[in-house]
Amino acid sequence: MTDGSAYVMTFTELLSLKSQAVYDAVEKVGSLVARIVLTPLEEMCFAYFSNTINKNSKVFTKSTDSHDSLVENFSVTLHVASVVGIVVSVFRNTVFTASSAVLLSLYCIYLSVMAVNGITECFAMASMSNAQVFSHGGFLFISAIVHLVLSFVLCSYLNASGFIIANAVNMIFRIGYSWRHTKSFLGDRTPSIASIFPTFSTLVFLFFSLMATLFTLLVFGSTPGLSHTLAHVAVGGVFLVLVVAHIVSTDYVFQMLTHRLQKYAP
């Protein structure tokens, strides 16, 4: 029942066959990213979290080096996923300029939320007891029903875009549930929300980049012609390079990762 859109399209006539075909194509393209990038990431995260926690299950105290490493890696992974996801969401209009690409733009945002959900759920599942896993299954069942209802309601008003928004909202609720368990497990060692999101200066850069790309989309994207499209993409590309350079030079997590990569570089 996790795919509410399939039930709505099968048992209702809210979408035309053309709209269903467009949504199905977008979902298949977006699912490639999930299978190629997000699924391996989630598998590696779950393997690391579960091995680290289970290996120290009998002597696992919140002052051990393994616990410090676990919390740090969990926080770093969440931060990287959050920053990359927000950057992709901001610059999605640079790649998708046609009006028919609205669904792909929304799917970029949904994939960003899905990435964060995957990491938080991996940590939560790795640290849950059997009773908590059973309770989590009950939550997923209830959330699936809510997701189905939400998909129907949003599709009634927003057509196929409602499916993607419903998926994103469902993921946000799942992130909240996993985060609640994480806080109970880690206690005062839980990473702060501020440490997960981009720094303030990065958010300012992203805000101005979003305004600039939306402006160029309004000026160039609505005008047919290859030169106008290339101009819009070029402006977005310049701002993307500036944002990435700013993140690498000012964000502590990315500075640390860059330093580690330089150490292992030949």
Side-chain angles (χ1 to χ4, degrees):
M1 292 184 65
T2 56
D3 188 5
S5 59
Y7 289 93
V8 174
M9 288 190 293
T10 301
F11 297 106
T12 68
E13 297 181 354
L14 293 177
L15 288 181
S16 64
L17 293 178
K18 179 181 178 180
S19 297
Q20 292 183 28
V22 172
Y23 173 77
D24 188 58
V26 169
E27 188 177 39
K28 282 182 169 55
V29 172
S31 64
L32 287 176
V33 178
R35 286 197 295 267
I36 296 173
V37 179
L38 299 186
T39 299
L41 174 64
E42 292 176 8
E43 291 176 351
M44 288 187 292
C45 287
F46 181 76
Y48 168 74
F49 294 148
S50 60
N51 288 339
T52 304
I53 293 173
N54 293 332
K55 182 176 64 176
N56 300 279
S57 58
K58 295 182 179 180
V59 293
F60 193 76
T61 62
K62 297 182 179 179
S63 60
T64 59
D65 293 337
S66 59
H67 182 272
D68 293 337
S69 177
L70 174 70
V71 174
E72 180 185 6
N73 290 330
F74 175 57
S75 177
V76 167
T77 307
L78 269 181
H79 181 78
V80 172
S82 172
V83 172
V84 172
I86 293 176
V87 170
V88 170
S89 300
V90 167
F91 286 96
R92 71 191 189 280
N93 290 324
T94 302
V95 180
F96 308 123
T97 57
S99 58
S100 58
V102 173
L103 291 180
L104 282 172
S105 298
L106 287 175
Y107 215 94
C108 286
I109 300 175
Y110 168 56
L111 287 174
S112 303
V113 178
M114 184 190 296
V116 175
N117 172 70
I119 297 170
T120 54
E121 277 198 345
C122 284
F123 188 91
M125 292 295 294
S127 58
M128 284 181 179
S129 63
N130 291 334
Q132 290 171 330
V133 171
F134 182 79
S135 177
H136 183 251
F139 165 77
L140 291 179
F141 178 76
I142 295 174
S143 67
I145 297 176
V146 175
H147 180 216
L148 180 61
V149 175
L150 191 62
S151 297
F152 177 82
V153 173
L154 291 180
C155 180
S156 301
Y157 291 97
L158 303 174
N159 296 322
S161 299
F163 288 145
I164 303 177
I165 296 174
N167 292 341
V169 171
N170 181 51
M171 288 294 170
I172 291 173
F173 278 114
R174 289 169 63 172
I175 291 172
Y177 184 91
S178 299
W179 192 255
R180 177 173 171 269
H181 169 78
T182 300
K183 288 189 67 175
S184 66
F185 180 77
L186 294 178
D188 57 359
R189 299 297 301 276
T190 305
S192 64
I193 300 297
S195 67
I196 296 174
F197 288 103
T199 61
F200 177 76
S201 60
T202 300
L203 289 175
V204 173
F205 262 81
L206 288 171
F207 174 76
F208 282 106
S209 299
L210 178 61
M211 294 298 102
T213 53
L214 288 176
F215 177 75
T216 57
L217 178 63
L218 180 64
V219 174
F220 299 115
S222 58
T223 305
L226 180 61
S227 60
H228 293 86
T229 301
L230 291 178
H232 170 63
V233 173
V235 172
V238 170
F239 275 95
L240 177 60
V241 171
L242 293 175
V243 168
V244 171
H246 174 77
I247 292 174
V248 173
S249 61
T250 61
D251 193 301
Y252 168 75
V253 172
F254 284 87
Q255 287 179 335
M256 178 184 64
L257 294 177
T258 303
H259 180 68
R260 289 181 180 178
L261 291 176
Q262 290 175 347
K263 288 176 58 178
Y264 293 107

